[in-house]
Amino acid sequence: MKNFLLFLVSIALIGCSSLNGYKEKIHPLDQAFIAKYFNGEEFIASEKVDRISIHYPWSDFHNINSRSFRAVWEGEIDGGDEGKNVTMSFYDSHASRSVYLDGKKITGWSNSNKHTSEFVEPGIHKLRLEFANGWHTTNFTASFDNYPTVEKNELKNIFKDTVDPLAKVAYIGAYESGDIYNRVTISVPKLKHPIIIFLSSNNGINWIIDNPHKTNVSHVVIRHRGGTSITNNQENTKTFYLNRFRGSYKNYSATASEIRDITGLAVSYTYGEYSLTNVTIPEIL
């Protein structure tokens, strides 16, 4: 819904995922939420956002003390014609939150990441997420991506059957995003051969693929603790969440060795920072 009717839009989600790494639909930029921000009980500001996410220290956002920060995000979920299982993944620390569907609380928890799935009946439903921080930094992000989660040996078998031997491999690692909405932009260069991108973070990140040259990004593999999403991914890109992967943002030798074992290819480019906002992958010859 490109016009963001009533500032709400359906979230295109899939009821099940398979190891081919594709989703039935990928329209992350069609998502929209109304975010309302509070200092304790006092309403401060609202805005329309593409993702449920916020990240700032102390009082660096609307002068709201992080320990008093409260937020509500409201949007819609489309259950389709037959209903579907909606996968939800959240990253945060030192906070409490609750999720409501059509006014009914479906889950609530405190001080931990969470992965959950909820069956959504056919049709359009109202989604509401309430968040209350309790720390000197605020860091929260939610993901509704439904890519398959795989183990290392499963991924090795997938690459054995699908990898282009001329493909290039890039690895990018971070502890967290340096952006207020937890975004990190990956700029992909013009390449003759496909590129495989491994992404790793400790905190939830919205990885944004900037690919103006339409380079073939054949695979994206993501390691994270929760709440991570990916935007502007190509429809034909095979995308996976990888369990028990030794990602790092400052020492790449073990990570590069593990990626080579998984893909059968040497890593052509590595980059990392503690707090990351954008990376430009160079032309890899």
Side-chain angles (χ1 to χ4, degrees):
M1 300 172 73
K2 296 290 185 181
N3 59 0
F4 296 115
L5 181 61
L6 296 178
F7 301 109
L8 299 173
V9 69
S10 300
I11 304 171
L13 298 168
I14 308 311
C16 59
S17 51
S18 64
L19 291 186
N20 64 16
Y22 294 103
K23 295 195 297 184
E24 181 182 328
K25 288 184 178 180
I26 305 173
H27 296 306
L29 291 181
D30 287 354
Q31 298 180 12
F33 300 89
I34 286 294
K36 300 176 183 178
Y37 307 120
F38 301 82
N39 186 353
E41 300 297 322
E42 179 187 3
F43 172 75
I44 301 298
S46 67
E47 62 179 338
K48 181 177 67 176
V49 295
D50 293 327
R51 297 275 174 165
I52 297 176
S53 194
I54 191 71
H55 180 201
Y56 77 95
W58 307 111
S59 301
D60 291 357
F61 182 69
H62 291 292
N63 202 34
I64 302 174
N65 186 298
S66 189
R67 294 183 185 274
S68 301
F69 178 81
R70 307 289 184 268
V72 174
W73 289 271
E74 295 176 311
E76 291 183 348
I77 288 182
D78 184 358
D81 295 332
E82 299 179 357
K84 62 182 65 173
N85 285 312
V86 174
T87 299
M88 295 177 279
S89 175
F90 306 91
Y91 170 82
D92 71 87
S93 61
H94 304 286
S96 62
R97 76 290 306 144
S98 300
V99 181
Y100 297 82
L101 191 63
D102 292 332
K104 179 183 178 181
K105 185 176 179 178
I106 59 174
T107 188
W109 71 104
S110 299
N111 302 326
S112 66
N113 303 327
K114 187 177 181 68
H115 303 269
T116 187
S117 181
E118 183 77 16
F119 182 79
V120 178
E121 298 290 343
I124 304 296
H125 304 271
K126 293 182 179 180
L127 175 72
R128 177 183 174 94
L129 194 150
E130 298 178 356
F131 175 83
N133 198 52
W135 195 239
H136 69 277
T137 58
T138 298
N139 195 349
F140 176 65
T141 185
S143 170
F144 301 94
D145 288 345
N146 199 33
Y147 297 113
T149 298
V150 296
E151 302 295 333
K152 179 179 174 181
N153 286 336
E154 291 179 284
L155 195 57
K156 286 177 68 172
N157 289 331
I158 291 167
F159 273 108
K160 183 174 64 175
D161 295 333
T162 63
V163 72
D164 185 329
L166 297 178
K168 306 300 180 182
V169 182
Y171 168 78
I172 296 164
Y175 185 87
E176 65 181 14
S177 167
D179 175 70
I180 195 168
Y181 300 112
N182 285 306
R183 297 169 297 197
V184 174
T185 299
I186 310 298
S187 298
V188 180
K190 184 177 182 179
L191 298 173
K192 293 189 300 182
H193 302 295
I195 185 170
I196 300 164
I197 302 176
F198 279 74
L199 302 170
S200 175
S201 66
N202 183 77
N203 298 356
I205 286 178
N206 176 25
W207 299 98
I208 301 172
I209 305 297
D210 179 24
N211 187 11
H213 306 290
K214 307 299 182 185
T215 294
N216 179 11
V217 181
S218 64
H219 300 75
V220 173
V221 180
I222 304 168
R223 175 260 186 188
H224 72 116
R225 291 175 59 196
T228 287
S229 59
I230 187 162
T231 300
N232 287 0
N233 214 6
Q234 294 171 328
E235 290 276 356
N236 61 345
T237 298
K238 296 179 175 67
T239 304
F240 305 93
Y241 292 125
L242 177 59
N243 274 335
R244 287 179 281 277
F245 173 64
R246 289 181 293 182
S248 174
Y249 62 89
K250 55 185 177 181
N251 187 335
Y252 312 119
S253 57
T255 301
S257 176
E258 188 168 4
I259 291 174
R260 182 165 191 163
D261 181 53
I262 292 170
T263 63
L265 302 172
V267 178
S268 305
Y269 175 72
T270 57
Y271 186 82
E273 291 182 25
Y274 180 91
S275 182
L276 191 61
T277 55
N278 57 75
V279 178
T280 298
I281 299 174
E283 290 193 22
I284 306 168
L285 301 179

